[in-house]
Amino acid sequence: MEDTIVLYPSPEIGHVISMVELGKIILHRHGRQFAITILLTTGFADSPSITSYIDSISRSHPSISFHRFPLVSVDPSNPPRSRAAVAFDFIRQNSANVLRSLRDISAASTVRALIIDFFCTTALPIAKELNIPTYYFYTSGASALAAFFYFPRLFERSTKSFKDQDGIVLDFPGLPPLKATQMPEPTLDQDDPAYGEMCYFCDHMTKADGILVNTFEALEPKAVELIASGACVPDAPTPPVYCIGPLIADESSRAGDSTVGGRQDCLSWLDKQPKKSVVFLCFGSLGTFSAEQLKDVAVGLEKSGQRFLWVVKNPLGHELGSGNGDVDLEALMPEGFLERTKERGMVVRSWAPQVAVLGKEAVGGFVTHCGWNSVLEAVAAGVALVAWPLYAEQHMNRNFLVQEMEMAIGVEQRDGDGFVSGDEVERAVRELMESEQGRKLREKSWAMREKAAEAMGDSGSSTTTLAELAQTWSRAASHEA
């Protein structure tokens, strides 16, 4: 029977894409040793974009098998709860499907490892019962992982919800502090069922056989050392951590046909701009702003005098349509803005090919929401950042980027709603592009690009680490022979 590695992502498309990239690199480096099967839920978070992405991967990488679970339905309003709580409930309700699938796959092949998403922790005890070695694939960085390892200590000490702890700053061993109100959303409210699930997830991480992280040692050496020292988990053994990144997703399988024209337009425009002169602004698939915030960004960009490429989505509260034409730029921008800035700026509706944009010589800076995939894409392209976190672990990522890695300038955000004024947008953009500190950040970012490429080279640190892991899985096979 062939040896198989089974991957189990959480349902959101960003997590599915990250897990597919992991499967691709295992196949690329160790395809003669292992087959890859990816478990997919059916129901919550399904969308046409996920379906078309899976179809595209099935065509381009037929050696990756997808195993679809039967439909599971969850009622988000019964009981009323946060979206995270609904998602976590949905994943928990798929436990029987996980058990059945692992048994089915084990009947036809030998499962050498199950690699799960952090949010799929409910699969860990199931796999352990079947004697399948179980690993996490943590899709953010080692610094965030170190913080997540320490979360149970914070949970134990908190007598009230983090959302109610205005002015309180949380300390982490060896990491920058974090405002309590900037903790990831599912941890903010102790009355939210998602809070209990997050406690469960964090508690169980130490029970894994290991944790794969989408980073590389040269990017986060302090965090890697910190985790290995055991300082984040003082009362239990810390599982081994494997830095196997940066894994950068292939955009060609993500874009819909409707974006092709806009994609070519913005790339052609960048080709005509001077080297390292353009600031790129893009805030991820879920990053939307109020109409007021969009206008302030426009004011700041105009006052900065810098060249810019800005991806704009419909503001919060607007009904999202399916095509690019649904974003009415004339209505959203300050009067005359598009005309006044047309010689040095381009505003793109809804989506741009981020990896391709960051790879253009004209791009000198990137205003980002600090989602880890976006951070790695910038690192791999050698582009320095303006850090503007919006949700999830992004506030932690901002602190790491600004204070530890020294690769970003942070924006000052208003307490409560995170609003950023036009003056602050202007300051941050000009500081990155014009100041001595900005020059140093850009030099450091360019140097890190080389280290990222080295890590993924044939003898690089991440390639070697993955080879060691593959050897561990193979040794288990030889012991059974």
Side-chain angles (χ1 to χ4, degrees):
M1 290 199 292
E2 69 178 351
D3 289 345
T4 298
I5 308 297
V6 179
L7 312 180
Y8 182 28
S10 63
E12 300 282 2
I13 187 164
H15 290 255
V16 173
I17 289 171
S18 293
M19 200 66 91
V20 167
E21 289 304 316
L22 175 61
K24 282 158 68 172
I25 196 70
I26 293 172
L27 280 178
H28 173 63
R29 293 290 181 184
H30 306 285
R32 291 182 180 177
Q33 295 167 263
F34 308 109
I36 296 291
T37 297
I38 300 179
L39 307 180
L40 295 174
T41 58
T42 304
F44 180 85
D46 282 357
S47 68
S49 60
I50 289 183
T51 304
S52 88
Y53 171 73
I54 297 302
D55 289 346
S56 172
I57 294 298
S58 296
R59 287 192 301 271
S60 63
H61 292 77
S63 47
I64 294 179
S65 303
F66 291 96
H67 188 99
R68 268 275 182 196
F69 292 168
L71 175 69
V72 169
S73 298
V74 287
D75 184 349
S77 58
N78 187 22
R81 55 212 155 133
S82 68
R83 190 175 191 277
V86 176
F88 299 161
D89 181 28
F90 170 76
I91 293 168
R92 188 173 281 278
Q93 287 194 37
N94 273 283
S95 294
N97 289 329
V98 173
L99 176 61
R100 191 179 308 113
S101 298
L102 289 176
R103 282 178 172 161
D104 289 349
I105 296 165
S106 297
S109 63
T110 305
V111 178
R112 291 299 168 198
L114 170 68
I115 304 176
I116 62 175
D117 190 283
F118 173 75
F119 298 120
C120 297
T121 293
T122 45
L124 180 68
I126 296 168
K128 290 286 188 183
E129 196 135 317
L130 296 173
N131 292 315
I132 296 172
T134 305
Y135 298 76
Y136 282 93
F137 179 38
Y138 188 76
T139 54
S140 195
S143 303
L145 175 61
F148 272 59
F149 268 134
Y150 193 71
F151 276 2
R153 264 51 65 189
L154 298 178
F155 297 155
E156 287 163 14
R157 293 200 295 264
S158 289
T159 54
K160 63 178 181 177
S161 296
F162 294 127
K163 70 180 178 64
D164 299 322
Q165 297 187 35
D166 286 329
I168 301 297
V169 174
L170 304 173
D171 289 316
F172 297 82
L175 297 170
L178 180 74
K179 291 178 182 177
T181 53
Q182 292 179 342
M183 285 282 281
E185 285 83 352
T187 69
L188 287 176
D189 185 356
Q190 292 183 354
D191 294 328
D192 181 358
Y195 178 86
E197 293 283 22
M198 285 293 286
C199 294
Y200 175 84
F201 301 158
C202 292
D203 276 335
H204 278 71
M205 276 206 300
T206 57
K207 298 175 173 63
D209 291 280
I211 299 178
L212 289 70
V213 191
N214 192 7
T215 191
F216 56 103
E217 290 178 14
L219 181 65
E220 302 182 89
K222 288 183 189 172
V224 173
E225 283 180 29
L226 182 70
I227 294 170
S229 76
C232 306
V233 191
D235 52 0
T238 303
V241 168
Y242 304 94
C243 299
I244 48 94
L247 302 182
I248 307 293
D250 173 16
E251 287 177 321
S252 62
S253 53
R254 283 191 277 175
D257 291 338
S258 62
T259 63
V260 170
R263 175 166 77 242
Q264 295 307 327
D265 286 350
C266 74
L267 296 180
S268 300
W269 181 83
L270 283 169
D271 286 335
K272 297 170 189 161
Q273 308 309 311
K275 191 176 179 180
K276 303 294 177 195
S277 68
V278 176
V279 179
F280 176 48
L281 299 91
C282 189
F283 298 90
S285 55
L286 301 177
T288 52
F289 291 124
S290 66
E292 180 191 9
Q293 180 66 87
L294 288 174
K295 283 189 164 60
D296 265 56
V297 174
V299 168
L301 286 175
E302 186 170 3
K303 287 167 65 179
S304 77
Q306 299 296 322
R307 297 172 191 270
F308 64 86
L309 174 64
W310 179 18
V311 179
V312 172
K313 292 184 171 64
N314 265 320
L316 294 164
H318 282 231
E319 189 173 334
L320 292 174
S322 57
N324 292 343
D326 296 314
V327 180
D328 186 347
L329 294 178
E330 290 287 353
L332 292 174
M333 298 294 109
E335 189 174 348
F337 168 79
L338 295 170
E339 179 63 27
R340 290 191 302 273
T341 60
K342 67 181 181 182
E343 297 302 321
R344 62 177 174 86
M346 183 175 189
V347 183
V348 178
R349 295 175 173 89
S350 302
W351 188 86
Q354 186 163 289
V355 175
V357 167
L358 290 169
K360 289 291 184 183
E361 273 197 346
V363 175
F366 179 24
V367 183
T368 174
H369 63 311
C370 304
W372 192 247
N373 286 339
S374 291
V375 169
L376 289 181
E377 288 164 8
V379 167
V383 177
L385 306 169
V386 170
W388 184 338
L390 300 177
Y391 53 87
E393 87 293 356
Q394 292 164 10
H395 290 281
M396 290 191 290
N397 290 345
R398 171 207 183 276
N399 293 350
F400 307 143
L401 286 162
V402 173
Q403 298 174 43
E404 293 286 329
M405 302 177 203
E406 297 177 339
M407 292 173 59
I409 288 166
V411 295
E412 290 298 321
Q413 295 174 272
R414 189 164 66 193
D415 285 341
D417 62 359
F419 188 85
V420 177
S421 69
D423 287 345
E424 178 61 10
V425 172
E426 177 194 7
R427 179 203 67 80
V429 165
R430 292 186 67 161
E431 189 170 335
L432 182 64
M433 300 299 285
E434 297 175 5
S435 75
E436 178 62 17
Q437 185 197 358
R439 185 187 65 78
K440 288 177 181 174
L441 291 180
R442 284 182 280 127
E443 281 183 2
K444 185 165 185 180
S445 299
W446 189 252
M448 195 58 73
R449 170 181 178 264
E450 302 301 320
K451 293 179 180 178
E454 284 172 16
M456 294 301 285
D458 287 345
S459 57
S461 60
S462 294
T463 302
T464 304
T465 297
L466 184 61
E468 289 168 2
L469 196 50
Q471 203 170 11
T472 301
W473 298 332
S474 293
R475 269 202 303 269
S478 62
H479 288 164
E480 290 174 17

